[in-house]
Short mmCIF file of all heavy atoms in Angstrom, two decimals:
data_model
loop_
_atom_site.label_atom_id
_atom_site.label_comp_id
_atom_site.label_asym_id
_atom_site.label_seq_id
_atom_site.Cartn_x
_atom_site.Cartn_y
_atom_site.Cartn_z
N VAL M 1 42.92 -4.02 -150.93
CA VAL M 1 41.93 -2.94 -151.11
C VAL M 1 42.54 -1.61 -150.63
O VAL M 1 42.45 -0.60 -151.34
CB VAL M 1 40.64 -3.27 -150.36
CG1 VAL M 1 39.72 -2.07 -150.31
CG2 VAL M 1 39.93 -4.47 -150.98
N ARG M 2 43.12 -1.62 -149.46
CA ARG M 2 43.68 -0.44 -148.87
C ARG M 2 44.75 0.17 -149.78
O ARG M 2 44.79 1.38 -150.02
CB ARG M 2 44.27 -0.72 -147.47
CG ARG M 2 44.57 0.52 -146.65
CD ARG M 2 45.23 0.11 -145.32
NE ARG M 2 44.47 -0.90 -144.64
CZ ARG M 2 43.44 -0.70 -143.85
NH1 ARG M 2 42.99 0.53 -143.71
NH2 ARG M 2 42.85 -1.70 -143.21
N GLU M 3 45.62 -0.66 -150.35
CA GLU M 3 46.68 -0.20 -151.19
C GLU M 3 46.13 0.37 -152.48
O GLU M 3 46.62 1.42 -152.99
CB GLU M 3 47.66 -1.32 -151.49
CG GLU M 3 48.50 -1.74 -150.30
CD GLU M 3 49.24 -3.05 -150.47
OE1 GLU M 3 48.73 -3.91 -151.29
OE2 GLU M 3 50.24 -3.28 -149.84
N ASN M 4 45.09 -0.22 -153.04
CA ASN M 4 44.46 0.26 -154.26
C ASN M 4 43.89 1.66 -154.03
O ASN M 4 44.05 2.56 -154.87
CB ASN M 4 43.40 -0.68 -154.74
CG ASN M 4 43.89 -1.68 -155.73
OD1 ASN M 4 43.95 -1.51 -156.93
ND2 ASN M 4 44.30 -2.86 -155.18
N VAL M 5 43.23 1.86 -152.91
CA VAL M 5 42.61 3.15 -152.62
C VAL M 5 43.72 4.19 -152.37
O VAL M 5 43.61 5.35 -152.83
CB VAL M 5 41.67 3.06 -151.42
CG1 VAL M 5 41.09 4.44 -151.09
CG2 VAL M 5 40.52 2.09 -151.72
N ARG M 6 44.77 3.81 -151.75
CA ARG M 6 45.88 4.74 -151.56
C ARG M 6 46.48 5.22 -152.84
O ARG M 6 46.99 6.34 -152.93
CB ARG M 6 46.93 4.11 -150.61
CG ARG M 6 46.52 4.04 -149.15
CD ARG M 6 47.67 3.51 -148.30
NE ARG M 6 47.26 3.44 -146.90
CZ ARG M 6 48.07 3.09 -145.91
NH1 ARG M 6 49.32 2.77 -146.21
NH2 ARG M 6 47.66 3.01 -144.69
N VAL M 7 46.52 4.32 -153.83
CA VAL M 7 47.07 4.69 -155.13
C VAL M 7 46.31 5.92 -155.68
O VAL M 7 46.93 6.86 -156.22
CB VAL M 7 46.96 3.53 -156.15
CG1 VAL M 7 47.18 4.04 -157.57
CG2 VAL M 7 47.98 2.45 -155.81
N GLY M 8 44.99 5.95 -155.56
CA GLY M 8 44.21 7.11 -155.96
C GLY M 8 44.58 8.35 -155.23
O GLY M 8 44.70 9.40 -155.82
N ALA M 9 44.79 8.21 -153.93
CA ALA M 9 45.11 9.38 -153.09
C ALA M 9 46.50 9.90 -153.37
O ALA M 9 46.79 11.11 -153.19
CB ALA M 9 44.99 9.01 -151.59
N HIS M 10 47.39 9.08 -153.88
CA HIS M 10 48.76 9.53 -154.12
C HIS M 10 48.82 10.54 -155.31
O HIS M 10 49.86 11.13 -155.48
CB HIS M 10 49.68 8.31 -154.47
CG HIS M 10 50.35 7.77 -153.25
ND1 HIS M 10 51.42 8.40 -152.69
CD2 HIS M 10 50.13 6.69 -152.51
CE1 HIS M 10 51.83 7.70 -151.65
NE2 HIS M 10 51.05 6.63 -151.50
N ALA M 11 47.72 10.72 -156.03
CA ALA M 11 47.72 11.72 -157.07
C ALA M 11 48.00 13.10 -156.49
O ALA M 11 48.47 14.00 -157.19
CB ALA M 11 46.39 11.72 -157.81
N PHE M 12 47.72 13.30 -155.20
CA PHE M 12 47.89 14.60 -154.54
C PHE M 12 48.97 14.51 -153.42
O PHE M 12 48.93 15.33 -152.54
CB PHE M 12 46.59 15.09 -154.00
CG PHE M 12 45.61 15.41 -155.06
CD1 PHE M 12 44.50 14.61 -155.29
CD2 PHE M 12 45.83 16.52 -155.91
CE1 PHE M 12 43.59 14.88 -156.34
CE2 PHE M 12 44.91 16.81 -156.92
CZ PHE M 12 43.80 15.98 -157.15
N ALA M 13 49.83 13.52 -153.52
CA ALA M 13 50.91 13.44 -152.52
C ALA M 13 51.81 14.66 -152.62
O ALA M 13 52.10 15.15 -153.71
CB ALA M 13 51.71 12.16 -152.72
N ARG M 14 52.21 15.15 -151.47
CA ARG M 14 53.08 16.35 -151.43
C ARG M 14 54.55 15.96 -151.18
O ARG M 14 54.83 14.89 -150.63
CB ARG M 14 52.62 17.29 -150.31
CG ARG M 14 51.23 17.89 -150.53
CD ARG M 14 50.86 18.80 -149.39
NE ARG M 14 50.67 18.05 -148.16
CZ ARG M 14 50.60 18.64 -146.97
NH1 ARG M 14 50.74 19.92 -146.82
NH2 ARG M 14 50.43 17.87 -145.87
N GLY M 15 55.45 16.79 -151.68
CA GLY M 15 56.86 16.57 -151.36
C GLY M 15 57.67 16.11 -152.51
O GLY M 15 58.91 16.25 -152.55
N GLY M 16 57.07 15.43 -153.51
CA GLY M 16 57.80 15.03 -154.68
C GLY M 16 58.62 13.71 -154.40
O GLY M 16 58.64 13.20 -153.30
N PHE M 17 59.26 13.22 -155.46
CA PHE M 17 59.93 11.95 -155.41
C PHE M 17 61.08 11.98 -154.42
O PHE M 17 61.27 11.03 -153.63
CB PHE M 17 60.46 11.56 -156.79
CG PHE M 17 61.35 10.35 -156.79
CD1 PHE M 17 60.77 9.07 -156.76
CD2 PHE M 17 62.71 10.45 -156.85
CE1 PHE M 17 61.55 7.94 -156.76
CE2 PHE M 17 63.51 9.34 -156.81
CZ PHE M 17 62.92 8.07 -156.77
N LEU M 18 61.89 13.03 -154.42
CA LEU M 18 63.04 13.09 -153.50
C LEU M 18 62.65 13.05 -152.04
O LEU M 18 63.21 12.34 -151.22
CB LEU M 18 63.89 14.32 -153.83
CG LEU M 18 65.19 14.48 -153.01
CD1 LEU M 18 66.10 13.29 -153.30
CD2 LEU M 18 65.90 15.78 -153.36
N ALA M 19 61.57 13.85 -151.76
CA ALA M 19 61.11 13.90 -150.37
C ALA M 19 60.57 12.56 -149.95
O ALA M 19 60.81 12.11 -148.79
CB ALA M 19 60.01 14.96 -150.21
N GLN M 20 59.88 11.88 -150.86
CA GLN M 20 59.41 10.52 -150.55
C GLN M 20 60.57 9.56 -150.34
O GLN M 20 60.57 8.75 -149.41
CB GLN M 20 58.50 10.03 -151.69
CG GLN M 20 57.23 10.83 -151.90
CD GLN M 20 56.18 10.60 -150.82
OE1 GLN M 20 56.16 9.55 -150.21
NE2 GLN M 20 55.33 11.58 -150.61
N ALA M 21 61.56 9.60 -151.24
CA ALA M 21 62.68 8.67 -151.13
C ALA M 21 63.47 8.84 -149.87
O ALA M 21 63.96 7.89 -149.24
CB ALA M 21 63.60 8.86 -152.36
N LEU M 22 63.62 10.10 -149.41
CA LEU M 22 64.40 10.38 -148.20
C LEU M 22 63.56 10.40 -146.95
O LEU M 22 64.07 10.63 -145.84
CB LEU M 22 65.08 11.73 -148.35
CG LEU M 22 66.10 11.84 -149.49
CD1 LEU M 22 66.68 13.28 -149.59
CD2 LEU M 22 67.22 10.80 -149.31
N ALA M 23 62.25 10.16 -147.10
CA ALA M 23 61.32 10.15 -145.99
C ALA M 23 61.38 11.44 -145.15
O ALA M 23 61.43 11.44 -143.92
CB ALA M 23 61.57 8.94 -145.08
N LEU M 24 61.41 12.55 -145.90
CA LEU M 24 61.41 13.86 -145.24
C LEU M 24 60.11 14.12 -144.49
O LEU M 24 59.09 13.48 -144.78
CB LEU M 24 61.68 14.97 -146.25
CG LEU M 24 63.02 14.88 -146.97
CD1 LEU M 24 63.15 15.98 -148.03
CD2 LEU M 24 64.18 14.90 -146.01
N PRO M 25 60.07 15.03 -143.51
CA PRO M 25 58.87 15.27 -142.71
C PRO M 25 57.64 15.58 -143.53
O PRO M 25 56.55 15.08 -143.21
CB PRO M 25 59.30 16.45 -141.85
CG PRO M 25 60.73 16.36 -141.67
CD PRO M 25 61.25 15.81 -143.01
N LEU M 26 57.79 16.36 -144.61
CA LEU M 26 56.62 16.71 -145.45
C LEU M 26 56.04 15.41 -146.05
O LEU M 26 54.85 15.22 -146.14
CB LEU M 26 57.03 17.68 -146.55
CG LEU M 26 55.91 18.06 -147.52
CD1 LEU M 26 54.75 18.75 -146.77
CD2 LEU M 26 56.44 19.00 -148.59
N ALA M 27 56.93 14.52 -146.51
CA ALA M 27 56.49 13.29 -147.14
C ALA M 27 55.86 12.37 -146.10
O ALA M 27 54.81 11.73 -146.41
CB ALA M 27 57.70 12.59 -147.80
N ARG M 28 56.40 12.32 -144.90
CA ARG M 28 55.80 11.45 -143.86
C ARG M 28 54.45 11.98 -143.50
O ARG M 28 53.48 11.19 -143.29
CB ARG M 28 56.73 11.40 -142.64
CG ARG M 28 58.04 10.69 -142.88
CD ARG M 28 58.67 10.27 -141.56
NE ARG M 28 58.94 11.44 -140.70
CZ ARG M 28 60.08 12.10 -140.72
NH1 ARG M 28 61.06 11.82 -141.57
NH2 ARG M 28 60.25 13.14 -139.86
N ARG M 29 54.26 13.32 -143.38
CA ARG M 29 52.96 13.89 -143.08
C ARG M 29 51.97 13.61 -144.20
O ARG M 29 50.81 13.25 -143.95
CB ARG M 29 53.08 15.37 -142.84
CG ARG M 29 51.82 16.02 -142.37
CD ARG M 29 52.04 17.40 -141.78
NE ARG M 29 52.66 18.37 -142.69
CZ ARG M 29 53.92 18.77 -142.62
NH1 ARG M 29 54.73 18.32 -141.67
NH2 ARG M 29 54.39 19.62 -143.49
N SER M 30 52.45 13.68 -145.45
CA SER M 30 51.58 13.42 -146.60
C SER M 30 51.13 11.96 -146.57
O SER M 30 49.95 11.66 -146.85
CB SER M 30 52.32 13.71 -147.91
OG SER M 30 51.54 13.40 -149.02
N GLU M 31 52.00 11.02 -146.19
CA GLU M 31 51.64 9.62 -146.16
C GLU M 31 50.56 9.38 -145.08
O GLU M 31 49.69 8.55 -145.24
CB GLU M 31 52.91 8.76 -145.87
CG GLU M 31 53.80 8.56 -147.09
CD GLU M 31 53.09 7.83 -148.21
OE1 GLU M 31 52.36 6.88 -147.93
OE2 GLU M 31 53.23 8.25 -149.36
N ARG M 32 50.72 10.06 -143.95
CA ARG M 32 49.72 9.90 -142.87
C ARG M 32 48.37 10.43 -143.35
O ARG M 32 47.29 9.81 -143.06
CB ARG M 32 50.17 10.66 -141.64
CG ARG M 32 51.31 10.01 -140.89
CD ARG M 32 51.48 10.59 -139.50
NE ARG M 32 51.79 11.98 -139.48
CZ ARG M 32 53.01 12.50 -139.53
NH1 ARG M 32 54.08 11.66 -139.60
NH2 ARG M 32 53.21 13.81 -139.48
N GLU M 33 48.34 11.53 -144.06
CA GLU M 33 47.11 12.09 -144.59
C GLU M 33 46.49 11.14 -145.63
O GLU M 33 45.25 10.96 -145.64
CB GLU M 33 47.37 13.44 -145.24
CG GLU M 33 47.75 14.53 -144.24
CD GLU M 33 48.23 15.79 -144.89
OE1 GLU M 33 48.34 15.79 -146.15
OE2 GLU M 33 48.48 16.81 -144.22
N ILE M 34 47.30 10.56 -146.49
CA ILE M 34 46.81 9.60 -147.49
C ILE M 34 46.22 8.37 -146.80
O ILE M 34 45.14 7.87 -147.18
CB ILE M 34 47.96 9.19 -148.44
CG1 ILE M 34 48.28 10.37 -149.39
CG2 ILE M 34 47.61 7.93 -149.23
CD1 ILE M 34 49.53 10.15 -150.21
N ALA M 35 46.91 7.88 -145.75
CA ALA M 35 46.36 6.72 -145.01
C ALA M 35 45.01 6.98 -144.36
O ALA M 35 44.13 6.15 -144.44
CB ALA M 35 47.42 6.27 -143.98
#
């Protein structure tokens, strides 16, 4: 359930693919906000 809901929130994830792949600070902060 948690993962399904997070999928919806990822529509507004910040940082882009590269930031997510490299786990840059902006991407990590975005993941915390999504969670």
Side-chain angles (χ1 to χ4, degrees):
V1 169
R2 194 183 310 277
E3 290 167 334
N4 269 272
V5 177
R6 286 185 180 184
V7 166
H10 267 285
F12 294 108
R14 294 181 292 165
F17 173 79
L18 184 60
Q20 296 286 334
L22 298 177
L24 297 179
L26 178 61
R28 293 199 300 270
R29 185 162 61 252
S30 179
E31 283 298 319
R32 290 195 297 271
E33 292 170 354
I34 287 171

